[in-house]
Amino acid sequence: MFRKILIANRGEIALRIQRACRDLGIATVAVHSTADAEAMHVRLSDESVCIGPPAAKDSYLNIPAILSAAAITGAEAIHPGYGFLSENAGFAEMVEAHGMAFIGPSPSHIGMMGDKIAAKAAMASLGVPLVPGSPGAVMDLAAARPIAARIGYPVLIKAAAGGGGRGMKVAREPAELEDAFRLARTEARAAFGNDAVYMEKYLDRPRHIELQVLADNYGQVVHFGERDCSLQRRHQKLLEEAGSPAITPAQRDTLGETATAALRKLGYRNAGTLEFLYQDGQFAFIEMNTRLQVEHPVTEMLCGIDLVREQIRIAEGARLGYEQRDISFTGHAIECRITAEDPTTFMPTPGRVTAFHAPGGLGVRVDSALYAGYFVPPYYDSMVAKLIVHAPTRPDAINRLRRALDEFAVLGIQTTIPLHRRIVDDKAFQAGDYTIHWLEQFVAGN
Ligand code: MV4
């Protein structure tokens, strides 16, 4: 059993991880930048260490400072949260080289899934369905032409080191291929220092559906169903649901069986999320995330499980101790990501929070590090709260979400609460009838 864990993150996710540690009787070490000296994750931790100036590259991404903080406090393990160093294979390796546990997958699996071409090749060889595409990297335009012709236009050119939509270009017809290919390459090199690209058939109206899995160190792999993350704008998710309004329990079972069998053969461990595009009744794997995700609470509410606790136990060497048939899916859960942004222009709105009142009651959860008097700094991600509701049915969850949003008060700064409130009242949202393009249209029409 770990006695002390260092949490290499800030904000709501640092609190979320602290709570799981407390529940397990484990002491916590917070790290923080000089801008976060007054932050809630520092106030609520057992110990804290300042690791550098405000810019993330000098603090939350400062590997020597974080490893030193762990060494001087005697932490036995590091939880990276999401973002920052969470998918940095080199960091995971260094944590282990310093005799500590990295609470996450092995460095080699983080590295494999960070290369989208390698990830797809591994999944395809293990029977997971893919979007039709190039068998691997596409070296030049001469190679791209016949592959595009075989897949059929429109095609998408993606960066191997990409993810999250950066370095992605569509070619709707052969005449567009040359420019799209060259642009994708150039962007990939600039953004990732790696210009390897691959090609896929472009799906024009998919849903974005992801599957949550956990694996222990002894080959036991289970899934906790899917999340529908289609409601996004510029690759920033705004609202997530579990389960997906578009998926039947039988589809969930089939997808889960295929994915868990593949990860068992890969020897994967700890938490992971497989991302799929879903269109015309078909799932196609696109990427795998080797971290705890922002939207994990909808899965926790649906399945009644503490995913962070499980991550910690797995890292300690515990067995999962249950099987797929022990996992049940009850009701429906929805999460709203509330950001410190103007709800119409999406410009960040850092500043002083003058009053804060979180909603409550049955089936309502708020994960946030805000408090009255807190100053939202301009240096980091603008997400300041997650509101998660759970209810017996999707219509009940929507009603509960409306009620909770009406109770939620964040004064002093602008937030996206009013935008969420309008989404909840939309007929298409209520019908569950949306694709990844729906929200951009919704926002443009307002
Ligand atoms: C796609 C696609 C359509 N067809 N792949 C964007 C981010 C990256 N994770 C994958 N992405 C997409 N890949 C094919 N073959 C459309 C997107 C996409 C998208 C995917 C998920 C969530 C939001 C999105 C927004 C725009 C494009």
Side-chain angles (χ1 to χ4, degrees), residues 131 156 158 163-165 168 200-203 206 208 229 232 235 275 277 286-287 436-437:
V131 194
L156 199 53
K158 295 184 171 182
M168 227 175 67
E200 282 178 358
K201 172 113 191 140
Y202 176 68
L203 304 181
H208 182 215
C229 305
Q232 58 82 40
H235 303 293
E275 290 191 6
L277 297 179
I286 50 170
E287 293 172 21
I436 60 168
H437 304 296

Side-chain angles (χ1 to χ4, degrees), residues 84-342:
F84 297 129
L85 296 168
S86 60
E87 294 182 285
N88 184 321
F91 176 64
E93 210 165 79
M94 279 185 258
V95 171
E96 292 181 353
H98 282 74
M100 292 177 284
F102 178 80
I103 302 174
S106 70
S108 65
H109 284 124
I110 299 173
M112 171 191 286
M113 299 308 172
D115 176 346
K116 309 302 166 190
I117 295 175
K120 286 184 63 176
M123 289 301 167
S125 76
L126 297 169
V128 179
L130 306 185
V131 194
S134 59
V138 181
M139 295 309 185
D140 50 34
L141 185 65
R145 290 231 179 268
I147 296 169
R150 179 175 54 76
I151 328 177
Y153 286 85
V155 298
L156 199 53
I157 301 144
K158 295 184 171 182
R166 286 192 299 170
M168 227 175 67
K169 292 284 167 250
V170 187
R172 303 203 169 266
E173 47 177 287
E176 292 181 1
L177 189 64
E178 181 169 0
D179 283 357
F181 191 83
R182 197 154 12 83
L183 267 174
R185 268 237 131 123
T186 308
E187 268 187 33
R189 192 181 306 118
F192 313 111
N194 172 359
D195 68 359
V197 296
Y198 61 103
M199 278 166 43
E200 282 178 358
K201 172 113 191 140
Y202 176 68
L203 304 181
D204 62 348
R205 44 184 174 78
R207 297 179 80 111
H208 182 215
I209 291 175
E210 57 186 32
L211 187 83
Q212 176 71 54
V213 300
L214 277 182
D216 69 15
N217 303 342
Y218 313 97
Q220 174 74 336
V221 187
V222 295
H223 73 86
F224 294 89
E226 80 287 355
R227 297 185 283 261
D228 197 317
C229 305
S230 303
L231 289 189
Q232 58 82 40
R233 175 187 170 273
R234 302 196 182 169
H235 303 293
Q236 298 296 317
K237 296 168 184 169
L238 263 83
L239 182 153
E240 304 98 345
E241 308 194 53
S244 168
I247 300 304
T248 66
Q251 285 176 295
R252 169 187 294 163
D253 291 347
T254 306
L255 188 69
E257 279 164 26
T258 308
T260 52
L263 293 178
R264 203 166 294 125
K265 288 196 202 108
L266 263 187
Y268 192 82
R269 64 158 212 240
N270 215 282
T273 301
L274 295 98
E275 290 191 6
F276 297 88
L277 297 179
Y278 177 76
Q279 183 172 315
D280 303 324
Q282 305 266 77
F283 285 100
F285 170 82
I286 50 170
E287 293 172 21
M288 180 165 181
N289 301 319
T290 55
R291 62 170 189 277
L292 179 71
Q293 293 199 243
V294 174
E295 59 272 28
H296 76 277
V298 287
T299 301
E300 296 189 319
M301 305 289 267
L302 194 76
C303 299
I305 190 191
D306 182 334
L307 287 167
V308 180
R309 179 190 184 98
E310 296 302 279
Q311 284 194 288
I312 296 168
R313 290 183 59 255
I314 289 167
E316 285 174 332
R319 289 178 181 274
L320 275 179
Y322 47 85
E323 292 172 42
Q324 192 62 50
R325 63 166 166 274
D326 301 318
I327 297 164
S328 55
F329 307 94
T330 306
H332 191 86
I334 305 176
E335 170 179 279
C336 289
R337 293 190 189 190
I338 295 162
T339 55
E341 290 175 335
D342 180 306

Side-chain angles (χ1 to χ4, degrees), residues 58-82:
D58 301 319
S59 51
Y60 298 103
L61 293 170
N62 184 340
I63 294 175
I66 292 167
L67 292 176
S68 303
I72 62 172
T73 55
E76 300 153 279
I78 297 185
H79 196 306
Y82 52 69

